[in-house]
Each structure stands twice: as C-alpha cells, then as structure tokens.
Amino acid sequence: MFQRFILVALILLVSSCIDPYRISLPEGQRLLTVDGFITTDFGPHRITLTRSDTYGSVFEGLIRPVSQATVAVRDSQGEVTFLVEMEPGIYETPRSFRAEVGRSYILQITLQDGKAYTSLPETVNPVPAIDSLSYRSVQIATDSRVENRSGVQILASFRDPADQTNFYYWRTVPGTFVVVANPELHTFPPDHPTNPRGPNPKDCCATCFLVDPSRITGFSIASDEDFNGLSNRLPVAFIEDNGLRFKRTYRAQIQQLGISAQAHRFLRLVEQQVSLTGSVFDQPPANIRGNMISLSDPDETVLGYFIAASVDTKQIYIENERLQFLQTPRIIPDDCRTVPGAVVDPPADWNPPRN
Amino acid sequence: MKKYKFGLLSLLIFIFGIFISCEEAEDFTTSLATEDVLYLSGERVRLLGRILTTQAVNATDHGFYIATNESFTQPLIISLGQRTNPGRFIGEASGLQVDQRYFVKSFLALEGEMLFGNIIELNTLTPAATGLQPNNGRFGEIINILGRNFTADTRVFFGNTEGQVVGIDFESRIRVRIPVAEAPVVTIRVVSQGREMVVSEVFEYTTGTYRKISDFPGSQRFFNNVFLQSGKDFYVGLGTERGLSFNSQFWKFDVLAQQWQQVPFEGTPLRFAFNSTQYFGSGSVLLDRFPFFLVPDFWKLESDGSFTRLPDLPFVEANALAYELDGQLYVAGGENGFGRETYRYSPATGNWMRVNNTPFRVTRATISFVYEGKIYILNPETRELFAYTPSTDTWSFVTNYPGQPGGTGGFGLVVDGRAYIGMEFRSNRIWELNLSNMNWALKNDFPGIIQASNAGVFLHDGLIYFLRSADLQLQGPMEMWEFDPKGFN
C-alpha cells in the first residue's frame, strides 16, 4: 500500500513540474501607414502618416506619427500641390485645393531618411448627387435579456447613372447634437460642510450643442453592378444611441463619394476584416495591400490607401420624437457646459426643419 | 491467415497507388504585365511592371522598352538587371521629349527567351510657368517660379538677363537666383526644352532710394512733438527739447527751397499732443511723463501758415492717434483712457461725436495711413492690418503685415495706390503694400542710423520726407531725409 502511495506521489510530483512554454515570435516591422483622401470639395484635405506598431507577446509600443516628410499631391497634368504638416504626422492641402473630376492624382511622399513612396494613380470619377436622406430607428438584439442596442440608420436616395460604372463610398462627418442637461437637479458635493449632496439647482444651462466626439466613424460601400441606372435608397450609416445623442435633435452629415474600382476593392476587404467575429465562417485575417508603393523596394509593404474622389454632402436632422427605439436617457445633473466641448450657441448653419 | 495477409497487402498497394497517382507533372508559366504609369511629366516617366509566377525566375535582365512607335524600333531601354523573385518592379527614365507620344512595355529576359508585357501608350506633358513666389526681391536672393513639368534643362530669364537655376523641386518649382537688375520691373521668361513660357506676373526689383536733404539748423532734438503740413511747407514743433525742457515754437521746412524757418506759436507748450496733417491738440503741460496734466487745447494750422485756436476739446487725451478722413478729424485711443475710444470732429459744425472704437488699443505710435476714404491701422502685436469705413462705422481685417512684430513709432503713407509702412523704432525697413492686390514688397533699407525716432513725416509730390531725431547719446543735428519709393539704382 505504501509503495503504491509513493508511486502515485512520484507521478504527481513529475506531472506538476510544467515549464511555461514561451513562444518566440519574430518581431514585426514598423510599416508606413498612409491614411487620407482628397475630394472635389475645397480643402484642407488631410493625409496622415504613421508607423504601425510591432506585434509580440506583450504590448511593445505606440503607433507613431511620421513627421517632417515632404508630401505632395500631383495630378495628371503635372500640377503639384504641397501639403503642410499641421501636427506631427498630419499633413494638409491648402484650403484652395480641390480635386477635379476626370483627372488622376498620385500622392508622393519623401521621408526624412530619403525614402520615397508614391501611390498608384487614382482617377476622380463623378458621383451622382444625393437626392435625399431619411432615417429609421433600429434595434439590435444583444446577449442581454434586459436591454437591446438601438440607434438610427440613415438611408440615402440617389439615382445611379446608367452610362457609368460607379463605386460608392459613404462616410459620416462628425455630427452635432443638442445636449440636454438638468441643471435644476444639481446637488452640492458629498464633502460639502453643511449640506452634502443637498439640492443646489443651477439657473443655466439646460441645452447646449456638441460635435459628436466619437472617433469611430463607420462607412458603407456599394458598386452599381446590382442597380446600374436605377434609383436607390440604401442604408449608408448607423449612429448608435448612447443615451445622450438622441435626447432631442441630432444633425448627421453624410458624404457620398465616387471612388475607383481599386479603392472600392480595398474598402471591401477592409470591411470584411473589421467585421470578423471569430467564427469559423470568418475570412482569414490578412494584410490588405493598398495603392502605396516604395520606389526603392516595390515589394515593401505599405499600409493604407490614397483615395481621390468626387463627393456630394447632405445633412439630416434626426428628431427624438420620431424614433421608435431609444436607450434610457443619460441624466446630466449639471450645467450642460460642463460636458467637454459643449457650447451654448448653435452652429451658424443650424437650421432644423420646423414641424 | 493467408486471406488476411492478402487483404492487408492489397490495401497497402491500393493506398500506395492513390498517392503515386496524385502526382502531376508541374507546369509553371511566367507572365509579365506592364501595370501602370506611376509618374509622368514633361521628360520623365516612372513605370510599374509585375512578374507573375509561382516559382523563382532566373531572368538575366528585366525592365521596360520605351519608343515613339508601336513597333519599338530604336527603343530606349530601362534595364533593371538580373531578377530571381517574381513581383513588382519599377523603372524610371528621363530625357524624354515634352508633349510627345510614347509606347512602353515591360520585358523579361529568360534564358535566351525574351518575354514582353502589354503595351501602354502615353503622352508626355507640356511645361507651364504659372506664378512667382515672391514676385519681388533684390539681386542675389532666391525666388520660386511655380508651374509644372519643368525639364532639367530649364533656364530662367529676368528680362534678357539669365538667372541662375539653383534647383527644381518636383519639376514644379524652380528655385532661381535673381540676377543683376536691368530695369525695376521685368518680365520672367522660362525656357524648357526650347519652349518659352512667359509668367503672367511681372517681377519687381527692390527699389527705393534715400537722400539726406537737410540738417536741422540747430542743436535741438524734438521728442513727443507734433508735425503738420501745408502743401510744400512742413511744420515741426512743440514737444520737448531732449525731454529736459518744453519747446514752445514751431519750425517750418520749405521742401522746394529746402530752407528752415522758425515760426512763433502763441499757445501753451504741449507734449504727447495728437496731430493730423492740419490739427493738433490736448496733451500734457508737465515735463514729467507721469502723471499727465492734460489740457483740452485744440489748434488748426491754416493754409497761410498761421495757427488758429479752436473751441476746447470735449475730452483730454495723451498720445492719441489722429487722422483726417473726408475733411473730418478723427482722434482715437491714447494713454489716458482705455485706448480704443474714437471721436470724430466735423469742421463744418464744430461738433464732436463718438464713433466706433478701434479694434485694439492705439496711440500715436500706431502705424496708420489713409487711402480712398478709409483709415488703416496696424496692430503691432498681431501684425494685423484693419481698415475703418466711415459710412458703415465699422472696422474690418485687411491683411497681415510681413514686418517684425512689436514695432511702433513707424510711419505709413500712400503714394500712387501703394502704402509704405516701416521705419519703426530701431528698424531701417520699409514695406510696400500694393493696395490693389494686397501684395507686399520690401523696399531698400534706410542707410541712416537706426538709433533715432521720426520727429516728423511728410508727403510731397510722390516723395516721402522724414525728420530723424537721433537718440540722446548720439551727436549731430536732426536730419531731414527724402525717400523715393520708386527710386532705382
């Protein structure tokens, strides 16, 4: 019996000596990343240059801006427009610059170390105007039994020209909305000497205006192979309700861009990659080749895509009372000006339709 | 048992047969594409090709053919050398003819076999010169000529004199050194591959000549004085003599005769008074800088050279800025109030009234000038130029001043639609603002000493005159200088 016990103990002892398995991953490269586009609207148009982070078993660094590069946009007539570095890694065209339909453009970059990069030519294709924008309230089921996500889906109506092959790209410009606060509910701080958390209503201000600070901007794309020459009404954007945006009025601004087939293909691949859910039916993750090329090493991987596009922009006011699904409103028991970025005066062009 | 062995052997043979039969003879093909024209200008082309294959290539050479005909007779060959890996390659050629049709195709030399890609047709671009930056300067300085598709052999002529091309950036910006002037205003010609382009803007050489025309006939140095003008007669007076005593008199300078003459004045000596061309008033009657003891005296210089005392001012001020617009006097700012309040005096009615405040604090040291019924004032801190429109009683931003910030005590005068601004404290620079297109140009520097202030500034017959009162530590009399903005030598 004792021998058996010793045997079992020895087996346990040996089996418990597990060494952690350390995975040695090859260090990734810091890849030049180009992000930006030019349109037929007046500038400034922005191009952002960064270096991607390396990957490894631990978080090893930050995405760093690429500064002091010479950045220029050159059109098919040979007209060169130099971009000015406004912030580290952020380069802007002059305000007077705008792309012209029918011309093709390349982005030229020369880094501080002399390395030169160029984009493949991007031709500016015409884009039909947005006839109108509309919206509908939508609800998205979640794992939670108590609460679903909801938001506003924006639909664009436009007529696709029959005599062209069109590729569409819709972006949302950061919207502006009315911040509704409750200054009458303001209370003293908990460490107040005489009346902690006691009522301390403020006279001002219940409503402010705020440019949506969300940095995540969704996008939609489409090609006209399924609707060439037809009038369309397509969902182009989704703005999620965070309990604050749709308390009164939200102004959304939609850009409809006409892009090249190559840019459309690139964005479609990006869309596939960002919608990976981890299921077995997902596309395999991969680096997407853009249209930037290193002149010294054409096989160098450069991330990003330089887009040149024509654009039409429209805005729509979304009214709270017309939304079927709303999240529980977030209460701001204070002056609305305490919300970072909120101002009392509406934007100069704020003009919601009167009911 | 035998049956079992037979079955096992049959199974092994079957599996072996499957694996053997799955082997196929590999048949690799190599394709070549002339993918795109990455860059095209007047004389340069950058091409992108791609080798498409699943295996290594053992190419002895690869690159592009360029020719003016589709049969590629006598092609220009871009040879990129040996190549083993498939993928993209970039070739570049220069020295092409501008505005010429070319055909290009990629090639790959594979063990004696030549593989060609598809043919792309292209047209080299035409050079054009579109502008100058800046459009003025002096001999030896470098300016930029803007345009597109400039070739490496580009030459630039200022009139008939060739400038030295220092460099060409992105084939769109020529850096050229300004040659010796042959005339104050010249046309710029750019020649690329024998094609001549004339820039629509003309180039102006830096002009402006200075001449000392008179010394003040005495040892006085005027400070905090007033200066007035009546035609060819310039008046300087009051203020202090070196800050030690009041100067109770005026001196008149006849610019045609170039003679000085003392002019009696019966009023109270003043310092820190305001003055326009004809009017002066208020100011302090104490020698100390602070506190001011301000008086409401108000005077006018008549055309016969006499001084007329007008009814007292409804306000008192020190170092206020004064100017005349459409026959009306404006007095703005100063050091006694909050520095922006402005009064308008109507000589016809003798009434004073408040008008819109200036957009920033002003004193008589603020640079200002009058042009086409508007007063222009320069904010020394922000270098912003503002204009006042009397009909709407509004101020509006005009442009930015390229001179040094913080400068005060300078002058502003307009000659033939161009404002001349400068000669601030410790500065010898004058800038010219073309009021028709808001273009700034630097004039030749003042050759006199800069340790001096402007005791009087006058305009006569298209020439600017200024009386320089040197700092106390310097010797010598006050000097009257003449500045010809268009002077060229």
Short mmCIF file of all heavy atoms in Angstrom, two decimals, chain A residues 11 15-16 57 64 76 81 96 99 130 144 163 170 176 270 317 330 337:
data_model
loop_
_atom_site.label_atom_id
_atom_site.label_comp_id
_atom_site.label_asym_id
_atom_site.label_seq_id
_atom_site.Cartn_x
_atom_site.Cartn_y
_atom_site.Cartn_z
N ILE A 11 4.45 10.22 -9.33
CA ILE A 11 3.78 10.59 -10.61
C ILE A 11 3.24 12.02 -10.53
O ILE A 11 3.42 12.84 -11.42
CB ILE A 11 2.66 9.58 -10.94
CG1 ILE A 11 3.28 8.26 -11.34
CG2 ILE A 11 1.76 10.11 -12.07
CD1 ILE A 11 2.29 7.10 -11.41
N SER A 15 4.44 15.11 -12.75
CA SER A 15 3.44 15.75 -13.63
C SER A 15 3.21 17.21 -13.27
O SER A 15 2.77 18.00 -14.07
CB SER A 15 2.12 14.98 -13.57
OG SER A 15 1.62 15.08 -12.26
N SER A 16 3.51 17.61 -12.03
CA SER A 16 3.28 19.01 -11.66
C SER A 16 4.40 19.94 -12.12
O SER A 16 4.26 21.14 -12.06
CB SER A 16 3.13 19.12 -10.13
OG SER A 16 4.35 18.73 -9.55
N SER A 57 4.45 39.26 -27.80
CA SER A 57 3.69 38.66 -26.71
C SER A 57 3.21 39.72 -25.74
O SER A 57 2.31 39.48 -24.96
CB SER A 57 4.56 37.64 -25.98
OG SER A 57 5.75 38.26 -25.56
N ARG A 64 3.27 55.55 -34.08
CA ARG A 64 3.97 56.84 -34.05
C ARG A 64 3.73 57.61 -35.33
O ARG A 64 3.76 57.04 -36.42
CB ARG A 64 5.48 56.60 -33.88
CG ARG A 64 5.79 55.93 -32.57
CD ARG A 64 7.28 55.73 -32.39
NE ARG A 64 7.54 54.84 -31.28
CZ ARG A 64 7.44 55.19 -30.00
NH1 ARG A 64 7.09 56.41 -29.69
NH2 ARG A 64 7.68 54.32 -29.04
N SER A 76 -2.70 64.58 -63.06
CA SER A 76 -2.26 64.03 -64.34
C SER A 76 -1.79 65.11 -65.31
O SER A 76 -1.24 64.79 -66.36
CB SER A 76 -3.41 63.22 -64.97
OG SER A 76 -4.61 63.95 -64.91
N THR A 81 0.75 69.97 -55.69
CA THR A 81 0.29 70.71 -54.52
C THR A 81 0.99 70.13 -53.30
O THR A 81 0.88 68.93 -53.02
CB THR A 81 -1.24 70.57 -54.35
OG1 THR A 81 -1.85 71.02 -55.57
CG2 THR A 81 -1.74 71.41 -53.19
N SER A 96 -7.52 76.14 -50.72
CA SER A 96 -7.97 76.38 -52.09
C SER A 96 -7.90 75.13 -52.96
O SER A 96 -8.43 75.11 -54.06
CB SER A 96 -7.10 77.47 -52.72
OG SER A 96 -5.74 77.08 -52.65
N ALA A 99 -9.86 68.50 -55.82
CA ALA A 99 -9.62 67.59 -56.94
C ALA A 99 -10.62 67.89 -58.05
O ALA A 99 -11.70 68.43 -57.80
CB ALA A 99 -9.77 66.15 -56.47
N ILE A 130 -26.82 63.16 -53.90
CA ILE A 130 -27.80 62.51 -53.01
C ILE A 130 -29.11 63.28 -53.18
O ILE A 130 -29.15 64.50 -52.99
CB ILE A 130 -27.35 62.59 -51.54
CG1 ILE A 130 -25.97 61.95 -51.34
CG2 ILE A 130 -28.37 61.96 -50.61
CD1 ILE A 130 -25.39 62.16 -49.95
N SER A 144 -27.91 40.42 -23.78
CA SER A 144 -28.63 40.83 -22.57
C SER A 144 -30.13 40.64 -22.76
O SER A 144 -30.70 41.01 -23.79
CB SER A 144 -28.32 42.30 -22.28
OG SER A 144 -29.22 42.78 -21.30
N ASP A 163 -24.90 55.16 -67.64
CA ASP A 163 -23.80 55.08 -68.62
C ASP A 163 -22.43 54.97 -67.96
O ASP A 163 -21.42 55.09 -68.62
CB ASP A 163 -23.84 56.32 -69.52
CG ASP A 163 -23.80 57.60 -68.72
OD1 ASP A 163 -24.08 57.54 -67.51
OD2 ASP A 163 -23.50 58.66 -69.31
N TRP A 170 -19.66 55.75 -48.61
CA TRP A 170 -20.37 56.73 -47.77
C TRP A 170 -19.65 56.86 -46.43
O TRP A 170 -19.31 55.85 -45.80
CB TRP A 170 -21.80 56.28 -47.52
CG TRP A 170 -22.65 56.35 -48.75
CD1 TRP A 170 -23.29 57.43 -49.27
CD2 TRP A 170 -22.99 55.24 -49.62
NE1 TRP A 170 -23.98 57.09 -50.40
CE2 TRP A 170 -23.81 55.76 -50.64
CE3 TRP A 170 -22.65 53.89 -49.64
CZ2 TRP A 170 -24.32 54.97 -51.66
CZ3 TRP A 170 -23.15 53.11 -50.66
CH2 TRP A 170 -23.98 53.65 -51.66
N THR A 176 -23.53 66.86 -35.10
CA THR A 176 -23.72 67.81 -33.99
C THR A 176 -25.06 67.51 -33.35
O THR A 176 -26.04 67.23 -34.07
CB THR A 176 -23.71 69.25 -34.52
OG1 THR A 176 -22.52 69.46 -35.26
CG2 THR A 176 -23.78 70.27 -33.39
N VAL A 270 -11.31 45.79 -46.36
CA VAL A 270 -11.25 46.35 -45.00
C VAL A 270 -12.54 46.04 -44.26
O VAL A 270 -12.52 45.63 -43.09
CB VAL A 270 -11.02 47.89 -45.07
CG1 VAL A 270 -11.18 48.52 -43.68
CG2 VAL A 270 -9.64 48.22 -45.63
N TYR A 317 -31.56 66.24 -40.04
CA TYR A 317 -31.82 66.44 -38.61
C TYR A 317 -32.68 65.28 -38.11
O TYR A 317 -33.75 65.01 -38.68
CB TYR A 317 -32.53 67.77 -38.38
CG TYR A 317 -31.63 68.97 -38.64
CD1 TYR A 317 -31.52 69.51 -39.90
CD2 TYR A 317 -30.89 69.53 -37.60
CE1 TYR A 317 -30.69 70.60 -40.15
CE2 TYR A 317 -30.06 70.62 -37.84
CZ TYR A 317 -29.97 71.15 -39.11
OH TYR A 317 -29.14 72.22 -39.34
N ARG A 330 -29.42 59.38 -20.56
CA ARG A 330 -28.41 59.66 -19.52
C ARG A 330 -28.71 61.03 -18.93
O ARG A 330 -28.90 62.00 -19.66
CB ARG A 330 -27.02 59.64 -20.13
CG ARG A 330 -26.44 58.24 -20.23
CD ARG A 330 -25.30 58.14 -21.19
NE ARG A 330 -24.22 59.05 -20.90
CZ ARG A 330 -23.19 59.23 -21.72
NH1 ARG A 330 -23.10 58.56 -22.85
NH2 ARG A 330 -22.24 60.07 -21.42
N ARG A 337 -22.81 73.00 -20.05
CA ARG A 337 -21.48 73.45 -20.47
C ARG A 337 -20.36 72.70 -19.79
O ARG A 337 -19.19 72.86 -20.14
CB ARG A 337 -21.34 74.95 -20.22
CG ARG A 337 -22.24 75.79 -21.13
CD ARG A 337 -22.21 77.24 -20.77
NE ARG A 337 -22.72 77.48 -19.42
CZ ARG A 337 -22.86 78.68 -18.89
NH1 ARG A 337 -22.53 79.76 -19.57
NH2 ARG A 337 -23.33 78.81 -17.65
#
